[in-house]
Amino acid sequence: MHAHAAASAIPYTVEPRPDTGLYNARLGIWLFLASEVMLFGALFSSYILLRVGAPEWPQRQLSIPLGTLNTFVLILSSISVVMAWLSLKRKDFGRFKLWQGATVLLALLFITVKSFEYHDKFTHYFVQTRDGQTYTGHLEGNPFNLKLSRLQALPTPPAEIVFHPDAPAGSHAGAAHPEPLKLKLADLVKLEAFGPWRSTFYAIYFVLTGLHALHVLGGILVLGYFWGPGSRMWFTEPERFTNRIEVAGLYWHFVELVWIFLFPTLYLL
Amino acid sequence: MQEFIIKWLHLPPLASEHGAEVDRLLFYVHLLMVVLFVGWSAFFLYTLWRYRQRRSPGADVVGVRGHLSSYLEVGVAGVEALLLIGLAVPIWARTASAGNFPKPEDSTVIWTIGRQFNWIARYPGPDGVFGRGDVKFVSQQNPLGMDPEDPAGKDDIVVESSEVVVPVGKPVIAYVSSLDVIHGFAVKPLRVSYDAIPGLSNPTWFTPTKEGNFLITCSQLCGNGHSSMRGLLRVVKPAEYEEYLKSKAPVSAGPVSYE
Amino acid sequence: MEQASHAAGHAPPGFWRRYIFSTDHKVVGIQYGLTALVFLFIGYGLIALMRWQLAYPGQPIPLFGKLLLAVLGPDMADKGIMSPDLYNSFGAMHGTIMVFLAIVPLAAGAFGNYLVPLQIGAPDMAFPRLNMMSYWAYFCGGVVMLVSFFIPGGAAKSGWTSYSPLSTVADQTHLVDGQTLWLIGMVFLITSSLLGSINIITTVMQLRAKGLGWMRLPFFVWAQLVTAFILLLAFPPLEAAGVLQLCDNLLGTSFFLPSGLVVGGQPLPVSGGGSPLLWQHLFWFLAHPEVYVLILPAMGIVAEVLANNTRKPLFGYKSLVYSAMAIGFISFLVWAHHMYLTGMGTKISTFFQTTTMLISIPSVIILTTLMLTLWGGSIRFNTPMLFALAFLPMFGIGGLTGLPLGFSATDIQLHDTYYVIGHFHYVVAPGTIFALFAGIYYWYPKVTGRMMNEFWGKVHFALSLVFMNLVFMPMFIQGLEGMHRRMYDGGATYAAGPDVSYGLTLALKLNVGISHASWLLGAAQVPFILNFFWSLFRGKRVESDNPWQATTLEWATPTPPPHGNFLEEPVVYRDPYDYCPDASGRDFRPQHEPDGPRPASPHRPGPGVTPLPHPA
Ligand code: HEA
Ligand code: HEA
Ligand code: CUA
Ligand SMILES: [Cu+2]
């Protein structure tokens, strides 16, 4: 190794390079998003292929109100990230804190709603009896993701389970709810929650939304960091900090965009 | 010609009609390859000798003049296009595309179904119709899960001994499928090869021209028995074929395995 | 992502930050290189053992048989005999390790990392910290893959292609089986490649030295750039596929499992409704572009070495660049030529046959161009050049044998036979590996300040060339005779016999010869390995920073380059391969050299510098 290290500051970390008009991180994030597009693109294509190949495809399985709510939440959050960035451009650090905080809170709200939706699925059951009867509905006490095998494995397996079937499809809300059924454990051949194993629809639903939720969580970490400890950089290197907020914002817009595709494909179509 | 191709390319002796075309294409492509390779190798070796440093101490910076290279490249492209349009596509259209299949009534229609690790052959029986099936009927006696209620299935013949028998000189339409994982139904001397994919049944057709026992190779990795998943395609005289079917005809209703 | 600049801090870092968790692109490159060479060695070890089973089916493996038995237990290697499952594991892992853990990390990770910033006159990668992370992601992926050999049930055994349903049903006794670890390992490797490719692209676009226009980039940099784009866009779909298959294996979903599967006589208890072909489409959408990732950097290396040792500019630099771009683009449109026999209508197969023929054109152009570069040159036959030269016909054979595979009609006879094995090994083994050897011998002095030994280099070359061909040439005959790949007993089950009209004969005899050649091929690497380490300490010191009298920027740095690479910011004045005798009797002009009389400078070679270490 030579004793004297050469000048090694990496150019264009803050100011854009004239001929490309980009600073490094900005190009970097665009490339990253390109690969993300390929990732979700592949999953969407899989969705289409599976759906085209399926004899019948379950529809309207998900709560449209909750989905709509989450859509609004994300749209709001993508406004607030922009505002956060603009306030930095306007050198208004206080405002930035507010908007950035708002974004993080909205993101958390999104995750909360989503987890409720998931929870509903894992407490909603499909059962099949020996004589080929099938029901969908809830179990007494709303157990989470119960499995037939696990029930049978219990030291003292319950002789029978109390099952509340769903109201028949199409019947409006007020309609009389069907009577709870008492099903003998011995008669059951299948009992499973509406998890990803239920059908290819649920499989692709959980994978797509799950992967998206992971992106949201990642966003919460990044945005939260720049809201909290990371924001100290504002006082040392304001330009670079502003750039970081912009880059994080670009990422967040992508996450939001993905949801804009997910919502109709999974909830409405 | 055919003989020469087979000798030169070390191909298995041909035993099917369409195989001749496959071989011809193989031959032309390899001809192109050899010409290109020998030609370029000659150029290559000469250049290395002619322009080694001792013999040409100073490089001629411009090097090759003229458009020779472009002509060469266009040439290669041209020949490839020729082979593609002239042979490859038509052959595939004749042998693989649904449009050009022979009529079922004047051909032998069978199912060849892969399973870890042997082959199941299925014949429609006298009525020439295959019965319905469903997983829920699957059992040791009924590996294909054929519907006992379906009359069409009553006379179907199912042979589980990795033996497929077809008459010579008449088109065979084989529906290739699988029960578990992906297998490959390959009969080299007949230039037949098709993936056996669970959930699909791919039709392929060929006309055996020689009698004999031809090995069925499983061409797709299918587990630890892959290398030993060997079947036999017996091409026999039509009369013998009829005999065979009679001997295998189900005695009771519903398919039974004869092993 | 933009922690960049302070990562490349100035204060001399301690041991760990300097050699282990370094962010210096050169150290990262070297880490990539050594790790990849070790994996290359492991990949070879696996196949060396498989080749015994292929040559002498069912006989205990000498020496290593006992070792396998001791380490993996009787159900894998009873009495030292390789079990079918073990064979399948080794086969799948040989492919995986060679492609994803040896060749790509060596070609893109090591050479790309070390050379791209140097050749474009940059102080480091654009995102040094990401660069370090990409190496460690790769490292973790490798560890996961290696660990999978030792878990109950053994490593993945469904081929490097991991076709479903086999990969899901292959091992139903263990929930977390080799396939699961394979998928997890792949996620690490994919992440690594993504970080790496983002880094390369950003670096090339943003950090080019003053005056280094696009058409002044060395072809090697172009090759790396296209490669990075391919990795960036082709890998995510495989990641998606991996996630889906992981769900099939762990959560009981049915993405790739059709309805009505009957495994071992029992209906499989899954919802069904999936598609096995979906996996193949997603896999090959990556894996075909991937194969060009294996070859493009190799072509880049060969181009550099050829230009330097013919002492003349590359013939048709522009057509090289455009061809590389064309390959990168078209490689996304040919994937289904691996699936001709899965049931394809005439239209689709015509489309993919056409694109397959189309993509062969740019390869033809590249090869032709490189060949014509030799014409009129003043060729120096040093070790790097020998390997680079051998690359041409070897890739030629591999490429040409791709053509009969490219026609669906002929693929009927060749699909999944040893003809395919021969085809792609000619491209990746005597092709890519030779190019990589050329690169190692060529840039070794820049990295270490010492030359590798010429004599042993030539021995290494001669032996490798002979045995590579003895290994792979017979495979074409085996394939044409009808011997299929992934056969545990090397096709013995299909041997000719009294009860069959036709069976394998010659192919089975060839197995034995091939195996012995493959072991000798391994032995032929000993001179290289010794030379490699011996030269580190005993190798002849370079007298100048530019021992090969080359023109590109990496030779304008001190040797080895310090942290930050260039003593003063380089400026580029000319094209990459400006070889032409000038007044001073010197036949090359470095890119950073202004016209007119050359300013003397401590770290640049004076006119007519050091005599070359090649015995003419
Ligand atoms: C670096 C890797 C690499 C490269 C560059 C290529 C290049 C090509 N490959 Fe190959 N291929 C693989 C790696 C590669 N392949 C692998 C790994 C597999 C198997 C995967 C698996 O199943 O496990 C495979 C399988 C494969 C298949 C599937 C076969 C099957 O499974 O049935 C096909 C089919 O079309 C194909 C075609 C081609 C074609 C047309 C090219 C073309 O791009 C080639 C173009 C080049 C030329 C045409 C050469 C030009 C030569 C000259 C001009 C003469 C030169 C002469 C001298 C120098 C003396 N390849
Ligand atoms: C880049 C990819 C690559 C490379 C380089 C190789 C290299 C080799 N491969 Fe492999 N191979 C594959 C990719 C590759 N392979 C794939 C994808 C498959 C398909 C798998 C499947 O079916 O799923 C396959 C399958 C395959 C088969 C078929 C197995 C079967 O179908 O049952 C065979 C059979 O002979 C084989 C042999 C060889 C041999 C002899 C080499 C030799 O060329 C090896 C040469 C290498 C060396 C001799 C090692 C040199 C070592 C060093 C230089 C280390 C130095 C170390 C230090 C300095 C620390 N390979
Ligand atoms: Cu069945 Cu291989
Ligand atoms: Cu390919």
Side-chain angles (χ1 to χ4, degrees), chain C residues 39 102 165 177 258 331 351-352 395 493 499 509 511 563:
Chain C
F39 275 111
D177 55 7
S331 67
F351 172 80
F352 283 105
F395 174 74
T493 308
D499 60 332
K509 293 199 192 68
N511 267 337
H563 195 286

Side-chain angles (χ1 to χ4, degrees), chain B residues 146-161:
Chain B
M146 285 162 56
D147 183 347
E149 301 310 310
D150 180 6
K154 293 261 190 289
D155 60 349
D156 286 16
I157 300 168
V158 176
V159 183
E160 295 189 54
S161 54

Side-chain angles (χ1 to χ4, degrees), chain C residues 58-84:
Chain C
Q59 295 182 34
I61 307 170
L63 295 98
F64 299 96
K66 289 192 179 53
L67 183 67
L68 289 177
L69 177 58
V71 180
L72 301 173
D75 47 357
M76 276 302 178
D78 193 15
K79 304 196 202 61
I81 299 166
M82 182 178 278
S83 76

Side-chain angles (χ1 to χ4, degrees), chain A residues 2 4 6 8 10 12 17 20 22-25 28-29 31 35 38-39 50 196-198 200 203-204 207 240 244, chain C residues 1-2 8 125 127-128 198 201-202 205-206 208 232-233 236 240 247 251-255 271 558 563-564 566-567:
Chain A
H2 278 237
H4 52 90
S8 68
I10 292 170
Y12 310 121
R17 176 179 168 119
T20 60
L22 299 161
Y23 55 88
N24 299 345
I29 195 72
L31 293 169
S35 77
M38 293 304 287
L39 177 65
L50 289 171
W197 44 78
R198 185 70 200 96
T200 39
I204 196 80
V207 167
R240 280 191 71 214
R244 290 184 166 198
Chain C
M1 184 160 287
E2 66 280 15
M125 283 284 200
F127 309 116
I198 290 175
I201 298 172
T202 313
M205 289 184 70
Q206 294 286 95
R208 272 171 294 125
L232 184 75
L233 300 178
C247 294
L251 300 181
T253 57
S254 304
F255 286 108
S271 70
H563 195 286
F566 294 86
L567 296 183

Side-chain angles (χ1 to χ4, degrees), chain B residues 9-13 18 22 25-26 29-30 32-33 36-37 40-41 43-44 46-49 51-54 56-66 68-69 72-73 76-77 80 83-84 87-89 91-93 95-98 115-116 135 138-140 143 179-182 186-195 197-200 202 211-232, chain C residues 84-85 88 157-159 163-166 169 258-267 276-277 280 310-313 315 340-346 349-350 353-354 357-358 360-361 364-365 368-369 371-372 374-381 389-390 392-393 396-397 400-401 403-404 407-410 412-417 419 477 479-482 484-489 493-495 499-504 506 579-581 614 616:
Chain B
L9 289 179
H10 290 270
L11 291 166
H18 74 283
V22 174
L25 181 53
L26 267 173
V29 183
H30 280 84
L32 167 68
M33 290 154 62
L36 274 173
F37 187 77
W40 274 114
S41 303
F43 170 89
F44 186 57
Y46 172 74
T47 321
L48 293 188
W49 170 79
Y51 292 104
R52 66 190 193 280
Q53 192 173 38
R54 224 180 312 101
S56 95
D60 157 13
V61 177
V62 182
V64 177
R65 293 168 176 74
L68 178 71
S69 64
L72 270 172
E73 287 146 8
V76 176
E80 286 181 4
L83 293 171
L84 182 65
L87 289 163
V89 174
I91 296 175
W92 191 254
T95 55
S97 81
R115 173 179 63 175
Q116 291 174 324
V135 237
V138 168
S139 73
Q140 280 308 330
L179 292 181
D180 37 39
V181 302
I182 296 177
V187 190
K188 289 296 163 182
L190 279 76
R191 312 293 187 258
V192 168
S193 178
Y194 230 63
D195 288 1
I197 300 167
L200 301 174
N202 287 330
E211 296 169 37
N213 300 342
F214 301 104
L215 285 168
I216 299 173
T217 316
C218 179
S219 58
Q220 285 282 355
L221 179 63
C222 56
N224 53 20
H226 165 61
S227 63
S228 52
M229 187 169 158
R230 166 190 199 261
L232 212 54
Chain C
D85 279 321
N88 288 348
K157 43 175 95 66
S158 309
Y163 279 6
S164 285
L166 179 60
V169 304
S259 310
L261 281 185
V262 181
V263 180
Q266 298 304 324
L277 287 184
Q280 296 191 20
T310 51
R311 314 303 298 162
K312 64 191 280 292
F315 173 86
Y340 283 138
L341 305 184
T342 56
M344 222 186 248
T346 314
S349 84
T350 306
Q353 294 183 67
T354 314
M357 289 307 122
L358 274 180
S360 70
I361 303 304
V364 172
I365 295 179
T368 313
T369 313
M371 298 280 275
L372 294 183
L374 300 172
W375 188 268
S378 166
I379 301 171
R380 311 187 303 211
F381 292 98
L389 286 172
L392 299 173
I397 296 174
L400 288 171
T401 48
L403 299 178
F407 295 119
S408 53
T410 40
I412 293 174
Q413 194 64 1
L414 302 176
H415 180 59
D416 270 326
T417 64
Y419 195 95
I477 298 174
L480 288 161
E481 261 207 337
H484 279 272
R485 58 191 286 198
R486 296 167 169 176
M487 290 294 181
Y488 166 64
D489 60 359
T493 308
Y494 300 95
D499 60 332
V500 294
S501 309
Y502 170 82
L504 300 175
L506 178 57
Y579 291 98
C580 58
H614 81 274

Side-chain angles (χ1 to χ4, degrees), chain A residues 155-169:
Chain A
T156 55
E160 60 180 19
I161 57 168
V162 182
F163 189 77
H164 303 274
D166 300 333

